[in-house]
Amino acid sequence: MVNVQESPKVKREVLEVSSEIMSEAGQFLRRNGFIEILPVIISPITDPLNHSVLDASINYYDGQYSLTKSMIFHKQLAVRVFPKIFTFSPNIRLETEDKKSTGRHLIEFTQLDLEVKDAKRDDILTLVENLFVEVFKDLDKKFGKIIRSTNPHFSIPKIPFERVRYLEALEKYGSDFEAILSKQATEPFWLIDIPIEEREFYDRLDGDGKVLADMDLIYPYGFGEAISGGEREHEYEKILYRMSLKGNDQKSLKWYLDEVKKGIPPSAGCGIGIERLTRFVCNLRHVSEARLFAKVPGSLSI
Amino acid sequence: MVNVQESPKVKREVLEVSSEIMSEAGQFLRRNGFIEILPVIISPITDPLNHSVLDASINYYDGQYSLTKSMIFHKQLAVRVFPKIFTFSPNIRLETEDKKSTGRHLIEFTQLDLEVKDAKRDDILTLVENLFVEVFKDLDKKFGKIIRSTNPHFSIPKIPFERVRYLEALEKYGSDFEAILSKQATEPFWLIDIPIEEREFYDRLDGDGKVLADMDLIYPYGFGEAISGGEREHEYEKILYRMSLKGNDQKSLKWYLDEVKKGIPPSAGCGIGIERLTRFVCNLRHVSEARLFAKVPGSLSI
């Protein structure tokens, strides 16, 4: 028997907010010199992620295409052609059903995925902070009254956002620090310098050899993780070393490694979950209320 | 041995044009009361199409998800919540390798897919004509010089576009009429009243019971098909009848039929291929030059 998930009722106003987020975020990036590239849904290579999900691949002629878990590798290749790119990238991550009640997991979601050639992590932090301010100002102007009727906390975020070092937070609050800090907070904040064992091989290792030049953005009021990103490894030998630490299979990333050998530029970037941002703005219980045709882990839905 | 396709070199200017097309087309639709919804990449239901392609489906728990060939059914459901919607929808159609040299087929492409509740075909024709004029005017202003350096025919299309009846064209020019007319033309034109055997079950059957209230847009200078669309069947009994004519399996569309039973509104809409539009504007030999990470039928590429 197939476990069938009824589509939750999505409010018209929530769809309007989501649409406006995409419009304003895209236009903000264009004003800042970015171009939009088309998303990639199937490829012989995809993000190995730092946690395991069920396989999502299809056969084509004598080969195999994986469904995109994130566009990380394609973004690294795209900045060879244009230095500032973004895309609204639909990602498939076949999460297991234990993730169905986290409030923030869907097996299909859309990331506003951006990458900047030669950028440092701090450039991305500043860019995203300004993007948030512009998007929230725009939402306030167009939908402020409606949003405040269901979200009493709605406000323009104050920049710069606070920066919290991962290891310091871990020491102070224990392993549940992210949830604790998210609940205490009233403003979004950055979690930076995430240790090597918590992230994928492609986040750039910082000078000390233990933490990465990367970050998560965490929403306040318990809404949790919003964004992941960082500087990227771009040198062949370092990438091989980092893959070996993680146990990533070189064969499955051969297409990527061949391109790295030809040369890819240093870059930094991040992915912003559109459904999670919509959920945060509209103060929704579950991210499935933030889009039409939401797919909750563990069951099939339309 | 996997047949490997080297990614064609995509020019930076072509990417900029493609990005601008998405921006201006999206903003035109927003100015006309549309909202953008998020794309759907996997679903138990997808477009059966009118020609066969290789299977693209994945297993998840006890069920199966198909990769989206078009968002037709989801658009019909979405207009229950908001009357004018669009999305940049990545579609996967695992075409066979005989399609590799048509110049206009990729197995992964993006459609600007739009749908309007209670609309007639003529409403969509007028909307799209105005969208084309606005997009071309915008491109001319921002990239006119660059575009004209490789496309001597670039001009703002004159509206209204000519409307050619499918059966009349077939009678006059024979079965190859579409290619012949596309080569002769110097302006985009509509092919309307496409007969029932040429299209999917969901295009609405017109009064005479033989032709459909639907259309294709055809580019001039031999660039061929640009857009498909039409009014949709929305009544349960008529949909079942049309599916029986086509031999469509009711079981595979059960999720859709269950929603139709609950009621879906009349609507009309279309899908505009972004890569094909970019190819036409930039006068490119093959649609694979119109995007990064292009996937040509019959081989694997990154």
Side-chain angles (χ1 to χ4, degrees), chain B residues 176 178-186 189 218-224:
Chain B
D176 208 24
E178 189 178 309
I180 294 168
L181 288 174
S182 174
K183 265 180 201 144
Q184 288 180 359
T186 58
F189 64 91
I218 312 294
Y219 288 131
Y221 302 109
F223 282 97

Side-chain angles (χ1 to χ4, degrees), chain A residues 121 163-170 177 190-193:
Chain A
R121 177 180 63 190
R163 298 175 188 198
V164 178
R165 284 211 161 67
Y166 187 102
L167 289 172
E168 289 174 14
L170 179 65
F177 71 89
W190 295 108
L191 206 58
I192 61 168
D193 293 352

Side-chain angles (χ1 to χ4, degrees), chain A residues 240-278:
Chain A
L240 286 188
Y241 168 66
R242 295 290 306 285
M243 285 176 66
S244 74
L245 287 187
K246 277 282 166 197
N248 291 120
D249 175 31
Q250 285 190 29
K251 229 173 75 185
S252 74
L253 289 170
K254 184 182 179 309
W255 295 67
Y256 173 64
L257 292 171
D258 285 350
E259 293 297 321
V260 175
K261 256 192 236 169
K262 294 181 206 162
I264 57 172
S267 66
C270 69
I272 306 172
I274 297 298
E275 293 91 339
R276 289 182 178 184
L277 177 47
T278 306

